[in-house]
Amino acid sequence: MNDQPLDARVDWEARVGLPSDVEAPVELPRLAAPSGLRIAEGRGQVTLSWGPVAGAAGYLVQRSDARDGPFETIVVGEPIVRPIPDTTLSDTSGMPGQAAWYRVAAAASVSDDGQPSSALVRGTPRASGDARARLRVDASRVIGTLARPWRPIIGSEHLSLLTYGPGPAGIDVGDDFGSALRTVHDELGVEAVRAHAILHDELGVYREVDGRAEHDFSGIGAVYDRLLEIGLRPIVEISFMPRDLAREPERTVFQYDAIISPPRDWERWGDLVSGLTSYLVDRYGREEVRRWAFEVWNEANLEVFWSGTREEYMRLYDVTAAAVKTVDSSLRVGGPSSAAVGWIDEMLAHVNASGGAIDFLSTHTYGNAPLDLRPIAERHGHPGLPLWWTEWGAHASHFHPLHDSAWAGGYLVHGMNSAMGRLEALAYWVASDQFEELGWPPRLLHGGFGLLTVGNLRKPRYWTLLMLEQLAEQQVEASIEGDGAGDMLNALATRDDAGRVALLAWNTAIDSSQADGNPLLDRRLTVEIHGLEGRAYRLRHLRVDREHSNLADTWQAMGGGDWPTSEQWPALHEANQLEELEPGRRLEVTDGAVTLEIDLPMPAVSLLELLPEGG
């Protein structure tokens, strides 16, 4: 830590990529090389697909201009998380008209790059030509219940913001933040919130007087009372360290000086955690708190969040988990809540050796779909362990324009679709732009993490998550083929007992360098829907792209600037709608089927609802 205090954002950017400890040697299994690698050439891209490999958490796709190499891994998200979890990838980063060689290797963990590679394939993205795809839906063939990994948890800034007064743009922070949380609960079906710093000194939790530890959990109670009144439950992230208990109180992160130090007294730390847990059980009832969960710290594998060693974090985990379980063994506790899928093998190996309790495995990633952690849990003897990604988003950097873009809406849908059925929770980071960590929002659209702006205007990511939530419960058979199908171009289809058919189709290059759009990647999609029971349907076509349901476009058309005027706020809220294309269109059914065509620019997400006439 520098001797001179630094601006929180400057400090963050200087240290965020630094590990808190050297990487531990982990023995990984030898995996087979992927088989059946195929390539489909398309306009502006090539799509690769291959067979799954047993034991793989993900796959590394490599490209070279020459058959003999050198090969470089295609990075679709944050460079530190290079593997992708799926067995299909549309590479949009090549030069149209220029051939390249590809190979794929399985990865047993996030940092595994020593596995054998597949056979080579060669492909060339086309520089022109027709680009079409076909989606076939059979509404009569139910294949299961639609998974909704966004519902269990959403991310949030520290919950004490609920007690704050006037803030950015003169808006009351507590009221605005509370309204955002209520909105994601009511409209997106979100059940719980995970936030930092519940033990921050701001809430007056811990102090030492004449060498004696004193606890006061009333501040936490006031915050959780407000959260529960909204309808949400907390995921209690046990962080950060109270100043009087910190070994290194000068080691901090964020504008609000969250202390990242290990405790100077482990017994007092355990007493603090058990005291908090007892308080919560007494205040809210044992059965209620059993529906919550306790997560140990935040991203301790990064120097910016943990001034101790890896071994000290593992000790913190064991002491914390034991303290929670002494109050009620049925309460859920987990971790390591790591950045970039770090310390997963280490965590599971540690609890196996120490006997520490673990009820869920948690980690984070940005810019990429979550890896498949099931094989890692299984090889450590924890099959079926709940897998929670308690932070996930379009980009790891605050103040980044991608967060406000239409591209991020498609990215969100791609990631949620990838995660369905292989993890329990994928928590988007975060609900609201009421966010203090690296400084308050300086303007309406500043690249904030929130799905909702200050003032609770909905960004494209919010709308696409709402589209997902509006899908029906019964997932039906859907297949897509054509230029970029299976990755860049994809779909989900659903139905309900009332005969409503709802399907989501999207065109999103996960390569964020394409975020501003690329005409070569625009597509024409033919949609065939079979198995319909009615004679006619009303079509409701909702769209998010750069020209529709895009707050940035709306605000720019009004003149832009830092903050809306008192006259502009109502106008923005009125214009902030999920836009419908072709309202009132009627579809006639022939032999139980309808066919329609839609344009899907890149990026774009369309929700197509077929409503039986009279519905």
Side-chain angles (χ1 to χ4, degrees), residues 515-553:
D516 290 333
N518 179 345
L520 287 178
L521 301 178
D522 295 347
R523 295 293 181 261
R524 180 75 169 171
L525 181 66
T526 300
V527 182
E528 297 178 3
I529 306 173
H530 298 263
L532 296 173
E533 298 173 356
R535 294 184 177 182
Y537 290 79
R538 180 167 55 85
L539 175 67
R540 185 168 179 250
H541 182 184
L542 303 173
R543 166 63 68 81
V544 171
D545 60 28
R546 286 179 297 160
E547 297 178 353
H548 300 91
S549 314
N550 183 5
L551 178 62
D553 185 66

Side-chain angles (χ1 to χ4, degrees), residues 50 57-62 71-86 89 105-107 109-115 340-341 365-369 371 510:
W50 56 93
Y59 302 89
L60 294 167
V61 182
Q62 296 185 318
F71 283 84
E72 294 185 355
T73 299
I74 297 172
V75 177
V76 298
E78 297 294 308
I80 198 170
V81 181
R82 301 184 303 160
I84 61 169
D86 302 303
L89 175 68
S109 79
V110 67
S111 57
D112 183 14
D113 58 4
Q115 303 287 350
V341 210
T365 197
Y366 289 86
N368 201 344
L371 294 184
I510 299 306

Side-chain angles (χ1 to χ4, degrees), residues 297-433:
W297 213 255
N298 175 72
E299 298 190 354
N301 60 323
L302 296 183
E303 178 197 287
V304 76
F305 283 119
W306 182 243
S307 67
T309 64
R310 182 177 57 256
E311 288 74 15
E312 286 176 314
Y313 171 76
M314 297 302 174
R315 184 180 182 185
L316 183 88
Y317 181 87
D318 283 350
V319 171
T320 304
V324 170
K325 295 289 189 178
T326 60
V327 177
D328 186 336
S329 62
S330 298
L331 298 178
R332 296 181 295 176
V333 64
S337 188
S338 55
V341 210
W343 291 5
I344 297 299
D345 282 279
E346 294 90 333
M347 181 73 189
L348 294 172
H350 171 78
V351 295
N352 285 348
S354 72
I358 185 166
D359 299 305
F360 60 89
L361 187 67
S362 66
T363 190
H364 307 155
T365 197
Y366 289 86
N368 201 344
L371 294 184
D372 189 350
L373 302 183
R374 293 174 298 179
I376 301 177
E378 288 171 6
R379 72 169 181 260
H380 285 278
H382 293 272
L385 182 67
L387 306 173
W388 294 5
W389 294 75
T390 51
E391 280 189 33
W392 175 71
H395 200 279
S397 297
H398 196 188
F399 304 107
H400 198 288
L402 282 179
H403 295 302
D404 299 332
S405 69
W407 172 87
Y411 163 86
L412 184 151
V413 172
H414 170 89
M416 290 292 178
N417 178 62
S418 173
M420 288 179 182
R422 60 178 176 82
L423 52 83
E424 282 65 38
L426 183 54
Y428 204 88
W429 188 258
V430 289
S432 170
D433 272 351

Side-chain angles (χ1 to χ4, degrees), residues 149-458:
W150 59 89
R151 279 184 176 177
I153 309 170
I154 200 166
S156 166
E157 241 279 45
H158 59 132
L159 292 176
S160 55
L161 292 186
L162 289 167
T163 69
Y164 283 26
I171 291 173
D172 186 280
V173 172
D175 289 345
D176 196 53
F177 182 47
S179 177
L181 294 179
R182 190 179 300 278
T183 296
V184 299
H185 170 267
D186 293 350
E187 296 185 5
L188 303 180
V190 173
E191 299 164 359
V193 171
R194 182 254 186 186
H196 299 325
I198 201 63
L199 299 180
H200 192 275
D201 286 313
E202 179 178 51
L203 291 175
V205 172
Y206 180 95
R207 65 174 184 159
E208 295 185 4
V209 179
D210 298 329
R212 186 180 69 258
E214 294 186 355
H215 301 164
D216 181 354
F217 302 118
S218 60
I220 293 177
V223 168
Y224 283 172
D225 286 352
R226 179 83 184 275
L227 189 68
L228 290 165
E229 183 274 328
I230 289 169
L232 292 162
R233 300 189 303 274
I235 303 300
V236 186
E237 180 199 292
I238 304 293
S239 74
F240 289 99
M241 192 62 59
R243 180 168 299 276
D244 284 2
L245 189 52
R247 185 178 71 195
E248 300 167 286
E250 75 283 359
R251 302 294 296 270
T252 65
V253 68
F254 297 150
Q255 177 171 282
Y256 54 84
D257 292 328
I259 297 172
I260 61 173
S261 166
R264 58 176 180 78
D265 186 311
W266 291 94
E267 183 176 355
R268 289 192 173 189
W269 170 258
D271 289 344
L272 174 62
V273 174
S274 62
L276 170 61
T277 308
S278 295
Y279 172 84
L280 297 175
V281 167
D282 291 343
R283 187 178 184 88
Y284 302 109
R286 194 172 299 273
E287 292 305 316
E288 170 63 29
V289 180
R290 283 175 177 169
R291 301 172 67 197
W292 304 7
F294 296 79
E295 187 180 38
V296 183
W297 213 255
N298 175 72
E299 298 190 354
N301 60 323
L302 296 183
E303 178 197 287
V304 76
F305 283 119
W306 182 243
S307 67
T309 64
R310 182 177 57 256
E311 288 74 15
E312 286 176 314
Y313 171 76
M314 297 302 174
R315 184 180 182 185
L316 183 88
Y317 181 87
D318 283 350
V319 171
T320 304
V324 170
K325 295 289 189 178
T326 60
V327 177
D328 186 336
S329 62
S330 298
L331 298 178
R332 296 181 295 176
V333 64
S337 188
S338 55
V341 210
W343 291 5
I344 297 299
D345 282 279
E346 294 90 333
M347 181 73 189
L348 294 172
H350 171 78
V351 295
N352 285 348
S354 72
I358 185 166
D359 299 305
F360 60 89
L361 187 67
S362 66
T363 190
H364 307 155
T365 197
Y366 289 86
N368 201 344
L371 294 184
D372 189 350
L373 302 183
R374 293 174 298 179
I376 301 177
E378 288 171 6
R379 72 169 181 260
H380 285 278
H382 293 272
L385 182 67
L387 306 173
W388 294 5
W389 294 75
T390 51
E391 280 189 33
W392 175 71
H395 200 279
S397 297
H398 196 188
F399 304 107
H400 198 288
L402 282 179
H403 295 302
D404 299 332
S405 69
W407 172 87
Y411 163 86
L412 184 151
V413 172
H414 170 89
M416 290 292 178
N417 178 62
S418 173
M420 288 179 182
R422 60 178 176 82
L423 52 83
E424 282 65 38
L426 183 54
Y428 204 88
W429 188 258
V430 289
S432 170
D433 272 351
Q434 290 290 3
F435 199 86
E436 185 188 4
E437 290 180 356
L438 302 183
W440 291 106
R443 61 191 64 87
L444 179 67
L445 294 179
H446 59 281
F449 284 119
L451 296 171
L452 296 153
T453 69
V454 170
N456 287 318
L457 295 162
R458 292 150 174 80

Side-chain angles (χ1 to χ4, degrees), residues 441-526:
R443 61 191 64 87
L444 179 67
L445 294 179
H446 59 281
F449 284 119
L451 296 171
L452 296 153
T453 69
V454 170
N456 287 318
L457 295 162
R458 292 150 174 80
K459 301 183 191 179
R461 286 170 298 147
Y462 184 91
W463 290 130
T464 58
L465 194 50
L466 182 64
M467 286 174 160
L468 281 165
E469 176 62 16
Q470 290 180 346
L471 291 174
E473 291 300 311
Q474 302 168 26
Q475 187 170 356
V476 300
E477 190 175 87
S479 60
I480 189 166
E481 58 183 21
D483 195 331
D487 183 56
M488 186 182 83
L489 206 65
N490 219 330
L492 284 166
T494 64
R495 60 159 294 159
D496 63 22
D497 290 336
R500 180 177 74 102
V501 176
L503 63 96
L504 205 63
W506 61 94
N507 180 8
T508 299
I510 299 306
D511 169 17
S512 62
S513 69
Q514 306 288 346
D516 290 333
N518 179 345
L520 287 178
L521 301 178
D522 295 347
R523 295 293 181 261
R524 180 75 169 171
L525 181 66
T526 300

